[in-house]
Amino acid sequence: TQHSQEEKRWVLSDFDVGKALGRGKFGHVYLAREKRSNQIVALKVLFKNQLKQSQVEHQLRREVEIQSHLRHPNILRLYGYFYDQTRVYLILEHAAKGELYKELQRCKHFSERRSATYIASLARALIYLHGKHVIHRDIKPENLLVGAQGELKIADFGWSVHTFNRRRTMCGTLDYLPPEMVEKTEHDYHVDIWSLGILCYEFLYGLPPFEAKEHSETYRRIVKVDLKFPSKPFVSPAAKDLISQMLVKNSAHRLPLHKVLEHPWIVQNADPSGVYRG
Ligand SMILES: COCCOc1ccc2cc1OCC(=O)N(C)CCCNCc1c[nH]c3ncnc(c13)N2
């Protein structure tokens, strides 16, 4: 009988592998074409021994399991996976315009319309994820990709709180950690509203709000919510109001995601199509 797409056993020879799209902590990502359908995909190759060393195999399996059931225009699709003797391969949707953080570095900071359009897309993706009881998206710019039409795609698979992105967070940037995670108290889906506020600030100013030379100083600024708005570049009071309602220490008092979508700054600036056309 004809197996459905999901049950297909993929092998590397099903693909023509092209140029490298980038290299992450656990492996490289390549452009590839599935030979039978000519479909263009991204192929992320992870080395088994590296996964073993970092004790992340079971987490990867769980995250791939979650990710393969998600369908949302702003979440990078996982079509399937396979493995051989030494590597695990993830078959992913290709985001033709690549990594958002490179674009942010190039532009220094985004316009209010571009920022609001991206924040609205992410709020909708997070509402979808929370609806599926999936939280703690590590939604910093490094994990965001841009599709062919300029639409945002969350690429990182750190869906649950015990993902390796948490380890990455512990040894990566602390800027996105909310107070309850810095203080190691319980945390829930409100962490994503905090991270969305950090991201909104970074889109508009080009830097995260609590950045500091020393980790200890960043921690202090986060738990104190030491939020300051520079005078340059000019950012509208409405944008500052939204950020101030998301970066609230008490997680229960952070603006709920559906209220983010109704905020005047989003309503007046976000492109309804969710695509920033420049
Ligand atoms: C456990 O792993 C879970 C899957 O994580 C990823 C899936 C897809 C990714 C990147 C992923 O993790 C981050 C990573 O490997 N880098 C930062 C290096 C490559 C950067 N991407 C470049 C890129 C450009 N056009 C793309 N279209 C689709 N996916 C891409 C890219 N990258």
Side-chain angles (χ1 to χ4, degrees), residues 22 37 77 96 117 130 143 190 202 231 247 253 256:
S37 63
R77 269 296 307 278
T117 301
H130 293 175
N143 296 329
H190 295 105
E202 183 162 0
S231 52
L247 298 184
H253 296 165

Side-chain angles (χ1 to χ4, degrees), residues 58 69 132 140 155 184 193 204 231 233 253 258 267 269 271:
H58 62 287
H69 292 95
K132 294 209 168 232
K140 48 182 182 282
K184 300 211 184 346
I193 301 169
L204 290 166
S231 52
H253 296 165
H258 69 279
V267 172
N269 290 284
D271 188 304

